[in-house]
Amino acid sequence: MPELKSRQVSQLPPLQAIRVFEAVARHLSFTKAAGELGMTQAAASYQIKLLEERVGAPLFLRRPRQIVLTEAGQRMAPAVSEAFALLGGAYAAARSGADGVLCVSTLLTFASNWLARHLGSFQVAHPSLAVRLDTSNRVVDFTREDIDIAIRSGGGNWPGVEVHKLFNADFTPMLSPKLAASIGGVKEPADLLRLPILDPGDIWWRDWFIAAGLPVEELAKRPGSSMGAQAYEANAAIAGQGVAIVTAALFNAELADGRLIQPFDLVGDDGHAYWLVYPQARRNVPKIRAFREWILAEIAGQ
């Protein structure tokens, strides 16, 4: 039996060629596959040529502006993808189980206004798993950075990752009760024109003004200051410095205790949401599975 296994392994084509095939089959593009693997398109084409010679049949049909899998390629692609997923899962499981450190990349406001207020229950359930937060607006590269899981804002269409929608990234104006009282209350959208606007260059303001029937050109007349994060703008609004436009789901506590008020039911929605994302090949890693199950249940229970 060991001799049979040895012969089977020796009959496999070079791993690099199989790796290139998996990427090209997934993207149906030599250019995208080469970019993902950090090689030239010519090098990727060469690896596919070697593999086709070993298989004894073409794996792709080259057509103008596109490529498609041949019948042989279609038979091979699912098994190769599954094999790489198994390898990735085995490696990740060997590297770390449900214990150790879970590295989470997240947006600053989500970290401060949602995770920090809920993470205690996860730590109670998983006392041997330490959570390290990396707060940044950038999209991390899971293949090059020591990040296990991420919270992203956007359309949810990132290649190579599993995505789970958490909640919509909608937006609406908020301000302090004291600032609203300074003009006798905010009763209609036009009342906002009598108050300072925080970060008037934010596209959310433009969209909300249009939906509310307010003149967009008024925004250009305001000082173009920007704080770079909803958490900062909300703190400025709480201090009475102006009106912020933020995602209501991230400020439930501030609304509940009266530090902020949401004067209008009108909410903008540009199709973006907050998402939990992680590499597809690592979906069964115990610590990732534990965090995924916890946060989805926590969101559903809100």
Side-chain angles (χ1 to χ4, degrees), residues 169-246:
D170 51 27
F171 45 92
T172 191
M174 292 190 190
L175 69 161
S176 71
K178 184 176 180 180
L179 182 63
S182 71
I183 61 168
V186 176
K187 303 178 180 64
E188 58 184 19
D191 290 335
L192 296 182
L193 300 177
R194 300 161 59 194
L195 296 169
I197 299 293
L198 299 172
D199 195 1
D202 190 332
I203 187 66
W204 282 359
W205 272 122
R206 180 182 180 278
D207 291 349
W208 196 88
F209 263 45
I210 291 173
L214 297 178
V216 174
E217 57 270 16
E218 287 294 322
L219 293 170
K221 300 176 183 178
R222 306 301 181 100
S225 59
S226 175
M227 299 184 184
Q230 291 188 57
Y232 300 146
E233 290 163 9
N235 280 337
I238 290 170
Q241 299 301 303
V243 187
I245 190 159
V246 294

Side-chain angles (χ1 to χ4, degrees), residues 74 119 143 152 154 160 165 207 215 251:
Q74 291 174 7
L119 201 54
T143 65
R152 293 179 182 171
K165 186 177 180 179
D207 291 349
F251 298 92

Side-chain angles (χ1 to χ4, degrees), residues 152-158 165-171 203-204 207 247 267-275:
R152 293 179 182 171
S153 175
N157 52 348
W158 299 283
K165 186 177 180 179
L166 300 179
F167 50 79
N168 289 334
D170 51 27
F171 45 92
I203 187 66
W204 282 359
D207 291 349
T247 298
V267 173
D269 184 356
D270 59 6
H272 287 185
Y274 288 92
W275 305 82

Side-chain angles (χ1 to χ4, degrees), residues 20 29-30 41 44 55 73 99 123 125 128 133 184 199 235 243-244 296:
V20 172
S29 166
F30 282 94
Q41 183 176 339
V55 172
D99 297 340
Q123 297 281 220
S128 59
L133 299 183
D199 195 1
N235 280 337
V243 187
L296 293 179

Side-chain angles (χ1 to χ4, degrees), residues 42-70:
S45 297
Y46 177 73
Q47 291 296 330
I48 295 300
K49 180 181 178 183
L50 289 180
L51 187 58
E52 289 177 330
E53 289 176 353
R54 292 288 293 269
V55 172
L59 299 172
F60 297 96
L61 292 176
R62 282 75 166 175
R63 294 176 176 171
R65 298 179 178 272
Q66 67 172 341
I67 61 170
V68 295
L69 286 162
T70 63

